Amino acid sequence: MSKDWIDDKVLGLDDEGIYLRASQCPNCSQICFPPELQCNRCDLQTELLPLSREGVLWSWTTQAYPPKAPPFADQQLIENFSPFLLGFVELPEGIRVITRLQNVHTPEIGIPVKLTPLDITLAPNKQARQAFAFVPI
Amino acid sequence: MAERTYIVGIGIHKFGRTPGVSGIQQASIATAAAMEDARIQWEQVEFAFGGSQDAGNADTLLKFKGLSGIPFINVANGCATGGSALISAVNALKSGMGDIGLVTGFDKHEHGAFRVRLSDWGLPDWYGEMGFALTTQFFAMKINRYMHDYGISENALVAVAQKAFYNGSLNPMAWRQQAFSADEIIASPMLNYPLRKYMFCSPSEGAISLIVCNDAGLRKIGSRRAIQIRGCALNSRREGTFEVFTTCNQVANTAPVTTDASRACYEAAGIGPEEVNIAQLQDTESGAEIMHMAETGLCEHGDQEQLILTGKTSLTGSLPINTDGGCLANGEPVGASGLRQIYENVLQLRGEAGKRQVATPKMALSQVYGAPGISCVSLLSV
């Protein structure tokens, strides 16, 4: 794990690998991904909540045309575009998060998926970063 | 009883691409047409609300029309800019700010998908870096899930696009006036599964202006073909709905924002959805029209495919939808798009829609949805 995270706020690492970081309000229990320092409802300081690594695919789509760059910064896809998949994954915490999808061509809604690291080289300075994706279990 | 408000003049600058004519010039042309339609002079306009996303301040119109000193309020509310300007004008009429007002919306966008400034939407950099900053993905994921939940097939997506381009072919002000066959639509490239190229609208150009008034204004103008504004409501999203430009959402059974705005509008008008007999719905892509049919209460969730495939939403059906070709055939000049729906409903209610005129509509609904989860609904009647 020598690479930097794509964003320190979003990813964490423990014995089982990477996890997504969320925040939870100690009062109203609202969960935010990525984490917020203050609860936008209660104005209280939130607590860090590592999200479950497994969930179910809530919906998905393909990105079959190149996104405008910037803000798109996936160097490999900017140089040589091929369609990629993304979706929203529903996690046991009662939240759906946006993610890239890997190792699948035409996913079915409702399939179980798990978190996996995704290497990405950021344009324009070619910085190696670690992001995240979900893959079918 | 609350004061009644009316639309007494409408003007349009053709949608599409008009090189060499700025957005504000298009607004000026539309405004001249609306004043002529209402048979009023610029000096009779007592206030104005208007806006664009990418084509400058609406207030610049004063340089073209005359520096008359009236309150001119620039409105910026994304895809609901036009609807927001209309609501503001209606409230101005009711509050006594004036008796005759101008509402204008216009735009002129660069080619291709909208470029997104992430910080404007409170989004982190990685959201854009990883390739999520595209509104088209949101619409695709929403309809993909919706088709799964309610048994809607690709046939419905194709039929909506086919209807839009057919209606556009009858509309001399539309950007795209060429009908496409179902085969041509199915053969167009997949952009965001399950949505193909000919199922999406594109950013474009155009302008709409309206002259609005209250009863006192109507007496001053003496118009006998006023269309009544029965209701106009704008809502923002509540916690737990699935919206464009988000990293996450809470799992909850919250009503979509369009349902909230529709209910508020029906309540203001004192009618139910069964009284509506023509509708202009936000069709950023084919799927949006399908979902918005149910979100506005015009049908039950899951009934859309049968209604569409049996022609109920076509020009000759019992509930014609997007009779001018919608966003699919007109493109989406953000500031003008919501007011285009109003323009079309006024034309239809007056019986002046030419080749695309539907049979004697009495109650017309329009609905806009835009980032980051706002919806504007209005009801007009003869």
Side-chain angles (χ1 to χ4, degrees), chain A residues 31 33 59-62 65 68, chain B residues 113 141 144 192-193 247 250:
Chain A
I31 298 171
F33 169 79
S59 192
W60 64 276
T61 188
T62 47
Y65 65 95
K68 282 186 179 175
Chain B
M141 287 189 280
N144 194 13
N192 298 104
Y193 179 92
T247 50
Q250 314 295 319

Side-chain angles (χ1 to χ4, degrees), chain B residues 17 37 41 49 85-86 92 105 119 124 126-127 154 207 237 243 250 291 297-298 330 340 353 358:
Chain B
R17 301 242 176 248
D37 186 47
Q41 303 299 313
F49 290 86
L86 181 62
S119 58
W126 61 263
Y127 185 85
E154 186 183 20
R237 65 221 164 277
E243 306 294 351
Q250 314 295 319
M291 294 182 285
L298 295 175
N330 287 282
R340 172 186 53 74
V358 308

